[in-house]
Amino acid sequence: MRTKSYGEASRGMNMAVCSVPGQFIKNSDELGVTEQRRLVLSAAEHGLRRVHPCNTVPGALKRLRRILDNRPIYVAGLGKAAYTMAQAVLSTIPKRVEAGLVVTPRGFPLSLGPIEVYHSDHPLPSRRSVEAAEKLIEFLQAVPPSAALLFLVSGGGSALVEKPCTSSIEEVAELTKELMKRGANIYELNTVRSILSCTKAGGLLSYTRVDTLVNLVMSDVVGDNLCYIASGPTIPWCRPVLAEAENILRQYGLSEYIPLLRRAAEKRPAPKQGIRVENKIIARNRDVLEAAKDYLVSRGYRASILTSRMRGEARQVAGLVAGIAEELGEKEAVLLGGETTVTVRGRGVGGRNQELCLAVLGATTSLGEEPGYTALCMGTDGVDGTSPVAGAILDNIVAREAARKGLSIARHLDDNNSYGFFSAIRSAINTGGYTGINVNDIVIILH
């Protein structure tokens, strides 16, 4: 049977209508009590809208049509944006997709036309993650060699899908938890995880039979290194280095896990060769910042992007951010993006975005009765750390309310309880859960 071309298929009836949410931030009306707050919230909305898969996947598929035409298409994927990416694929080429399987966090619907949706656990891997790996491997092995495999990659996939080479999933989860708690960044974390896993760093390619695979990637990694986005499960050139992983464990006082690493390294399969792999990054942090900047410029602001590669301990980054915020002139705005880390010492609830905003408040000397700057710190995926929110808004209203309620910034930081602080003064950003996007974090500051 002749396989329909991209153009023919896209004129058919959609199996899944892809639509961008009208509003990502569900409590915008409650938060938007000043003009500056409304502007910073709207800027974030414009940024999120720009990178939503409904707006990025169709163009990517058109550019890949020479590879995908005249072949049956099978879809697989993993990560926090896997569902919305799959939805966008079905909306764009509804009659071309034969079958599919995507692994997502809980909260997404379980059916999507011909694509099965499987829920797994995040941020720590579990037995569910192993079951997800088994299902994904079974699906990949069933895809006919003559087909094109469209693989959807986004952050969060490292925990959602896991097949340890030698260790138990409990050991992997325990080590992952310790690295996160001690402030390991995504490069360090995924270097270690890739050594332990038979599905990471190109490992999933070992289970495919196709000769052509296309990766559509939404990047949540500073620098967009494909080997670290969801730990590069279908990237053939990834080669995690055992010595680097051992040094990371030593750096964080976890040397007792080195024998575990060495045993796993001996069992890791070499990535499959002889397969054509095409990679297309559909969205990255810089894209969100550019869209947010464009919006602010349209509203008369002198706006600039300082960096899309912000990284480091949140409390240390906060001092620089506070200094920049305090020097902003009227109708000026700055934007930053990236991913900070948090060394967890307390028992509170929070995340790196709220911790960053709280530490900025602690380092600020100019927020008082008069309006000063307004800042937004937000995770684009909609979930900040262990909290149920995406981030927080910071301005003189927050400073005033904190003082009125006797909330100690230092005490909340010491307990890593940034969510407790911002929820008490109703300035946390609520997206209602996952946004279907994952391109790191954003900070927008304006005066």
Side-chain angles (χ1 to χ4, degrees):
M1 180 181 295
R2 183 176 69 91
T3 303
K4 290 189 177 183
S5 70
Y6 178 94
E8 290 176 304
S10 63
R11 291 192 292 269
M13 181 73 71
N14 280 1
M15 293 181 183
V17 177
C18 195
S19 60
V20 181
Q23 192 174 48
F24 287 97
I25 301 171
K26 308 305 181 188
N27 61 337
S28 283
D29 291 343
E30 178 186 348
L31 292 172
V33 295
T34 67
E35 179 64 17
Q36 284 190 357
R37 282 191 173 201
R38 288 189 289 272
L39 283 168
V40 79
L41 289 165
S42 293
E45 292 277 358
H46 276 73
L48 294 172
R49 198 168 292 119
R50 172 81 62 85
V51 298
H52 192 278
C54 292
N55 290 330
T56 54
V57 167
L61 290 177
K62 287 180 182 178
R63 288 187 287 273
L64 293 164
R65 60 188 300 176
R66 62 182 175 80
I67 301 172
L68 299 176
D69 269 355
N70 302 313
R71 287 173 177 260
I73 296 174
Y74 288 75
V75 177
L78 72 182
K80 297 176 185 177
Y83 182 90
T84 46
M85 291 172 74
Q87 191 177 46
V89 169
L90 285 178
S91 183
T92 307
I93 48 172
K95 293 187 177 180
R96 293 291 311 283
V97 177
E98 301 289 333
L101 171 66
V102 294
V103 182
T104 75
R106 290 177 171 84
F108 292 97
L110 284 170
S111 62
L112 189 59
I115 299 178
E116 180 185 355
V117 180
Y118 189 82
H119 288 169
S120 187
D121 290 330
H122 186 275
L124 297 178
S126 66
R127 289 300 309 170
R128 188 81 179 172
S129 308
V130 176
E131 292 166 6
E134 292 169 350
K135 285 186 69 71
L136 194 53
I137 288 168
E138 182 181 6
F139 174 81
L140 294 176
Q141 290 174 331
V143 175
S146 60
L149 179 60
L150 190 59
F151 204 91
L152 313 176
V153 183
S154 58
S158 295
L160 294 168
V161 174
E162 182 59 281
K163 181 179 172 63
C165 288
T166 58
S167 54
S168 68
I169 191 63
E170 290 77 18
E171 289 174 310
V172 174
E174 181 184 9
L175 178 52
T176 301
K177 182 178 180 179
E178 284 299 321
L179 284 167
M180 289 179 171
K181 181 178 178 181
R182 298 174 193 217
N185 64 40
I186 194 64
Y187 282 92
E188 295 166 332
L189 190 59
N190 286 355
T191 294
V192 172
R193 291 199 283 200
S194 292
I195 294 285
L196 295 172
S197 176
C198 284
T199 52
K200 295 173 172 48
L204 279 180
L205 292 175
S206 303
Y207 305 101
T208 63
R209 298 190 296 154
V210 298
D211 59 13
T212 300
L213 183 147
V214 175
N215 286 310
L216 290 187
V217 183
M218 180 173 282
S219 174
D220 74 327
V221 168
V222 171
D224 304 323
N225 189 317
L226 293 172
C227 290
Y228 294 92
I229 303 169
S231 299
T234 49
I235 306 300
W237 59 78
C238 299
R239 298 289 188 276
V241 178
L242 176 60
E244 290 181 8
E246 290 183 4
N247 286 336
I248 291 166
L249 293 188
R250 292 188 186 98
Q251 175 186 342
Y252 289 103
L254 295 167
S255 298
E256 67 270 23
Y257 288 96
I258 288 178
L260 185 69
L261 274 185
R262 291 174 177 172
R263 291 196 300 271
E266 294 174 357
K267 299 292 184 180
R268 283 202 81 254
K272 182 179 180 179
Q273 301 301 312
I275 180 172
R276 179 186 184 185
V277 177
E278 294 281 336
N279 302 300
K280 178 64 180 175
I281 295 179
I282 63 167
R284 50 172 59 87
N285 186 264
R286 186 86 187 184
D287 300 329
V288 180
L289 299 178
E290 291 285 358
K293 174 191 168 184
D294 290 347
Y295 171 78
L296 291 173
V297 169
S298 74
R299 299 302 299 267
Y301 273 79
R302 299 183 301 278
S304 59
I305 297 171
L306 296 188
T307 184
S308 63
R309 299 191 176 204
M310 175 182 65
R311 54 194 182 270
E313 184 75 19
R315 297 192 206 184
Q316 296 174 359
V317 173
L320 175 62
V321 174
I324 292 168
E326 289 178 308
E327 289 197 339
L328 285 180
E330 191 170 344
K331 300 292 281 187
E332 284 188 336
V334 294
L335 303 93
L336 305 91
E339 183 175 289
T340 61
T341 56
V342 173
T343 300
V344 179
R345 298 180 178 89
R347 297 177 177 272
V349 176
R352 58 182 182 258
N353 291 283
Q354 294 165 89
E355 180 127 346
L356 175 60
C357 246
L358 184 56
V360 168
L361 177 59
T364 297
T365 60
S366 63
L367 279 178
E369 290 300 319
E370 295 299 318
Y373 70 81
T374 296
L376 171 147
C377 307
M378 178 182 179
T380 58
D381 63 358
V383 178
D384 187 29
T386 59
S387 79
V389 298
I393 286 275
L394 174 62
D395 59 7
N396 69 314
I397 297 174
V398 171
R400 191 168 59 243
E401 279 296 293
R404 186 179 70 83
K405 293 191 173 186
L407 298 176
S408 167
I409 297 170
R411 191 176 303 119
H412 281 81
L413 283 172
D414 287 344
D415 199 31
N416 298 113
N417 194 25
S418 52
Y419 172 67
F421 181 93
F422 287 110
S423 62
I425 50 181
R426 304 177 73 84
S427 61
I429 296 170
N430 178 22
T431 59
Y434 290 110
T435 59
I437 298 166
N438 190 12
V439 287
N440 286 136
D441 306 329
I442 56 175
V443 177
I444 305 174
I445 314 169
L446 56 80
H447 193 287

